[in-house]
Amino acid sequence: QVQLQESGPGLVKPSQTLSLNCTVSGAAITTSYYAWSWFRQPPGKRMEWLGVITYDGNTYYSSSLQSRASISRDTSENQFSLHVSSVTPEDTAVYYCARAPMFHHGTTEDYKLDDYDYWGQGTQVTVSS
């Protein structure tokens, strides 16, 4: 059974960097051909795809974050991380990590939510001074 668990601070001050980890068990994040994505859902809004790191370490990001986001991984810990710089209250959301089998190379921005087979439970992040 594959499990994903998000972790990180629940409260971040404006202008700081938000950093979240997703710890994976039951599958290696280097296993072909899977992609590991980050999403968020702000209050009252739709789920938003933020970016992805593929099994071979390639990263792709949503243009909506305008280069504020980066995704990295630690294969020894079987974790991947999201960093969002210069946060504002508009970054307040529940953040999720998820896995998808890849059906094409490159970004998973075009994938539907149903294409993801495993999700973390989500973690609330509030941006406030």
Side-chain angles (χ1 to χ4, degrees):
Q1 180 76 3
V2 179
Q3 293 184 319
L4 291 81
Q5 179 67 57
E6 304 91 349
S7 61
L11 181 65
V12 183
K13 294 187 186 308
S15 81
Q16 292 186 340
T17 295
L18 177 167
S19 293
L20 297 173
N21 291 323
C22 181
T23 301
V24 180
S25 60
I29 61 174
T30 55
T31 301
S32 306
Y33 295 91
Y34 288 97
W36 306 87
S37 289
W38 283 99
F39 290 82
R40 69 183 180 186
Q41 187 167 30
K45 296 186 178 180
R46 296 175 61 182
M47 189 78 81
E48 176 186 16
W49 179 85
L50 301 178
V52 62
I53 185 164
T54 62
Y55 69 97
D56 52 356
N58 292 314
T59 54
Y60 305 89
Y61 302 101
S62 167
S63 59
S64 68
L65 289 180
Q66 296 180 333
S67 76
R68 293 192 297 126
S70 66
I71 297 174
S72 59
R73 68 180 183 175
D74 183 339
T75 57
S76 66
E77 297 291 332
N78 212 38
Q79 291 179 338
F80 62 106
S81 302
L82 171 72
H83 309 279
V84 180
S85 63
S86 304
V87 297
T88 72
E90 284 65 42
D91 293 307
T92 294
V94 179
Y95 285 74
Y96 299 88
C97 54
R99 186 189 84 163
M102 297 178 69
F103 52 82
H104 63 66
H105 288 290
T107 182
T108 59
E109 189 168 12
D110 59 329
Y111 287 25
K112 298 179 176 59
L113 295 182
D114 286 347
D115 292 329
Y116 291 82
D117 57 359
Y118 289 99
W119 290 80
Q121 65 184 23
T123 187
Q124 173 70 47
V125 176
T126 300
V127 179
S128 174
S129 55

